[in-house]
Amino acid sequence: MTLSRHPGATAALVLLSLFFIPQPAFAAEIDSGDTAFVLISSALVLFMTPGLAFFYGGLVRRKNVLSTMMHSFAMMGVVSVQWVLIGYTLAFGPDVGHFIGGLDHLGLQGVGLVPDEGSTIPPLLFMVFQGMFAIITPALISGAYAERMKFSAMLIFSLLWSTLVYAPLAHWVWGGGWLHSMGALDFAGGTVVHISSAISAGAALLFVGRRRGFPQEAILPHNLTHTVLGVGILWFGWFGFNAGSALAANGTAVLAFVTTNVAAGAGALGWMFTDWIRHGKPTVLGLVSGALGGLVGITPACGFVSPLGAIAIGAIAGVACNYAVHFRMRLKLDDSLDVLGVHGVGGTLGAILTGVFALPEFLVHGEEVYTRGYQIWVQFVSVIATYGFGFVMSLAIFFVADKLVGVRVDAEDEVQGLDLSQHGERAYDGV
């Protein structure tokens, strides 16, 4: 059989070629260096989610390590699909009322390989890079309800939260929404990722409640080596998270890379020395927690501040997060993995300190030149707006999930451990 005798088949193949064979014009318009850089950065950001799984997994009891890690890995499946179907268009579609993106890109319609005006990378690549942020953010929230929430409820909550909370916030700040119009500075997700996940964790504490036995029983990490490995992966991946947000292999990416690294180091030292002074010994958990606090703090500021400003932000975040975690313990709040203390406090300080330490050239928005005081005010407004919207919406979503499947596991299942009761597996033989 030859194609020449079957014109219908020939026409079908030609039509398919339009969809699956890149056209030569694409290559001429794409900057290969920028595209390679953002591709690698996207992979680094995705790698952060398994890093988070190890970080969180090491901090819980051994009977819950698999279920805790499952939360992060499940988001790599759920949000990857959700982002393509509807999340991206709600975040980055044409602006609707400065609140949400339109549905023009539903199912990635119109998101192709030809760079938009002023860009050097394909819109499809921008979509996938932003999708990696969308994946890790609901995974961060899981640290607040670890060891006591039904897996089915977690899936429902995360899907609705990614659609109804994350996407609008991303639009407000990065997609042309009202905070963007005000001139809010958030280079890589201080409000969109860290504050939103932290305040939603606060809603989880209120709705889901404490773990059984807390605070009377000591609930200790089962494997700190997993935690150290997890933070190491997170620190590594954060270079894609922050430097990649420049969306080009340029000087801004270099600045973000340097400020990210030095802020993490300053945060690690800040927490470690605070522990050493207060308790007489430096701890590895304190060191890696401080690094995480510094990374969170620098995220909104990394492309806007000098390396010296980054040291200040990282050190302040490391010390402040240390005190916040200890204060949480005194209040007997069962934020299992300290999402509020690290991401909430670190993200809030980072967002506000962005206005304090931003280099003068970044206080210019369009034709407006902002005073530093006004920029700090705008940063404060962005923080408060994120807290208010995230908290109310998260409570509503928890309510819906509870009505559908029930949020909390049974007492017997919680005592047995979620690895067995929710997934029928054990992390360790004979345990």
Side-chain angles (χ1 to χ4, degrees):
M1 182 181 74
T2 63
L3 288 179
S4 60
R5 297 179 181 177
H6 297 272
T10 303
L13 286 175
V14 171
L15 182 62
L16 285 173
S17 73
L18 297 177
F19 288 96
F20 297 112
I21 300 177
Q23 301 302 303
F26 294 167
E29 299 181 26
I30 293 174
D31 185 291
S32 59
D34 291 347
T35 299
F37 174 69
V38 180
L39 279 169
I40 293 169
S41 295
S42 300
L44 286 173
V45 180
L46 181 64
F47 191 41
M48 292 173 70
T49 302
L52 182 70
F54 271 99
F55 174 62
Y56 278 176
L59 291 174
V60 297
R61 291 166 290 185
R62 64 177 60 211
K63 64 182 180 180
N64 295 313
V65 57
L66 290 179
S67 64
T68 300
M69 299 180 83
M70 182 85 161
H71 293 158
S72 293
F73 274 88
M75 291 305 96
M76 295 169 70
V78 171
V79 182
S80 290
V81 175
Q82 177 269 353
W83 190 249
V84 166
L85 294 179
I86 193 170
Y88 177 74
T89 194
L90 293 178
F92 294 100
D95 179 64
V96 178
H98 293 306
F99 181 81
I100 195 71
L103 299 180
D104 299 48
H105 300 317
L106 191 68
L108 299 189
Q109 295 181 73
V111 182
L113 298 177
V114 179
D116 296 328
E117 184 178 354
S119 176
T120 58
I121 64 172
L124 195 64
L125 176 55
F126 176 76
M127 180 282 301
V128 79
F129 178 71
Q130 289 294 338
M132 302 311 179
F133 287 69
I135 289 169
I136 197 171
T137 307
L140 291 172
I141 303 171
S142 69
Y145 53 71
E147 303 194 287
R148 59 197 184 277
M149 188 169 173
K150 288 182 180 178
F151 184 70
S152 56
M154 186 278 298
L155 291 177
I156 293 170
F157 170 81
S158 299
L159 178 60
L160 291 176
W161 189 91
S162 297
T163 305
L164 302 177
V165 179
Y166 182 85
L169 286 174
H171 186 77
W172 290 5
V173 177
W174 296 325
W178 67 279
L179 288 176
H180 179 268
S181 299
M182 283 185 67
L185 296 176
D186 188 352
F187 194 80
T191 50
V192 180
V193 175
H194 298 296
I195 296 177
S196 70
S197 60
I199 194 59
S200 302
L205 299 183
L206 182 63
F207 198 95
V208 182
R210 297 173 173 175
R211 289 169 288 183
R212 292 181 61 83
F214 182 91
Q216 293 79 17
E217 299 176 9
I219 300 178
L220 302 175
H222 91 284
N223 193 330
L224 284 180
T225 56
H226 281 184
T227 299
V228 173
L229 173 62
V231 174
I233 294 173
L234 286 168
W235 191 332
F236 176 66
W238 225 291
F239 294 121
F241 200 85
N242 285 359
S245 292
L247 300 177
N250 56 22
T252 302
V254 174
L255 176 64
F257 194 109
V258 173
T259 56
T260 297
N261 190 63
V262 74
L269 295 177
W271 191 309
M272 182 189 74
F273 282 115
T274 300
D275 270 354
W276 206 339
I277 293 168
R278 295 179 68 190
H279 307 296
K281 293 181 180 180
T283 65
V284 66
L285 180 57
L287 184 71
V288 299
S289 297
L292 189 60
L295 288 164
V296 170
I298 198 59
T299 292
C302 59
F304 303 126
V305 302
S306 70
L308 292 180
I311 291 175
I313 291 173
I316 292 169
V319 173
C321 290
N322 179 298
Y323 276 93
V325 168
H326 285 90
F327 184 65
R328 186 272 300 173
M329 293 177 181
R330 290 176 59 188
L331 293 179
K332 299 179 180 179
L333 293 174
D334 193 15
D335 183 0
S336 308
L337 308 178
D338 285 304
V339 184
L340 269 172
V342 176
H343 297 275
V345 172
T348 299
L349 284 172
I352 295 172
L353 291 175
T354 299
V356 175
F357 290 103
L359 296 169
E361 56 263 37
F362 296 112
L363 301 180
V364 179
H365 301 274
E367 298 181 357
E368 297 285 337
V369 179
Y370 292 169
T371 65
R372 192 166 298 278
Y374 180 76
Q375 186 67 58
I376 294 171
W377 165 249
V378 171
Q379 299 303 112
F380 180 77
V381 169
S382 69
V383 168
I384 296 301
T386 305
Y387 271 122
F389 181 72
F391 185 74
V392 172
M393 289 296 294
S394 295
L395 277 181
I397 295 169
F398 273 119
F399 179 81
V400 171
D402 193 46
K403 290 298 181 182
L404 291 174
V405 297
V407 167
R408 185 78 184 244
V409 298
D410 296 335
E412 182 179 344
D413 289 343
E414 187 174 345
V415 171
Q416 183 184 43
L418 272 62
D419 289 1
L420 272 176
S421 66
Q422 294 290 294
H423 305 293
E425 298 173 299
R426 292 184 187 272
Y428 306 103
D429 290 340
V431 180

